[in-house]
Amino acid sequence: MIGTIRFWPVRIDTAGDSSAVEAILLGPLAVHPDFRGHGIASQLVDAGLSAAGNLGYRIVFAVGDLAYLGRFGFSPASTANLASAVEVPVAAKRFFVLGLDESALEGLHGTVVPAAY
């Protein structure tokens, strides 16, 4: 195996609203050390995000570094009024969100929690 990517179901519990919004969390993402630096991780992320959109997901979360995740359009979840219910180290600087279409994050706010599956 050269690399792997995984997505987990999550939901956004919105304050004052009985409905929850389905989303997914990207991670982990890993590439064998002998194959790093060849763009494999980027290809995995691109393919994963495309598949997520094809499956009907509109929102993707990730924990990581903005320098890397920003290349794919991720931005700090805190700027979209979204927070993680699970403690994330230095949460405001490592918890990110990506709307897979222009309106996916419009008016959205709440807490991201694991989805039952």
Side-chain angles (χ1 to χ4, degrees):
M1 181 182 304
I2 293 172
T4 183
I5 190 168
R6 172 78 183 198
F7 290 89
W8 298 90
V10 295
R11 71 176 196 273
I12 304 163
D13 285 339
T14 56
D17 187 346
S18 61
S19 64
V21 177
E22 290 184 10
I24 54 175
L25 173 69
L26 184 161
L29 168 66
V31 174
H32 189 282
D34 292 347
F35 296 93
R36 290 184 184 154
H38 299 285
I40 294 168
S42 293
Q43 291 175 32
L44 287 170
V45 173
D46 285 336
L49 294 175
S50 178
N54 290 338
L55 290 170
Y57 289 100
R58 299 178 64 218
I59 302 168
V60 181
F61 291 94
V63 176
D65 296 312
L66 184 57
Y68 185 77
L69 294 169
R71 297 188 294 176
F72 304 98
F74 283 88
S75 61
S78 60
T79 61
N81 294 316
L82 296 164
S84 174
V86 177
E87 187 175 335
V88 176
V90 194
K93 295 182 181 180
R94 297 193 50 87
F95 188 55
F96 300 99
V97 65
L98 171 66
L100 294 178
D101 65 54
E102 286 184 25
S103 64
L105 301 175
E106 281 183 16
L108 192 60
H109 61 279
T111 303
V112 181
V113 298
Y117 57 96

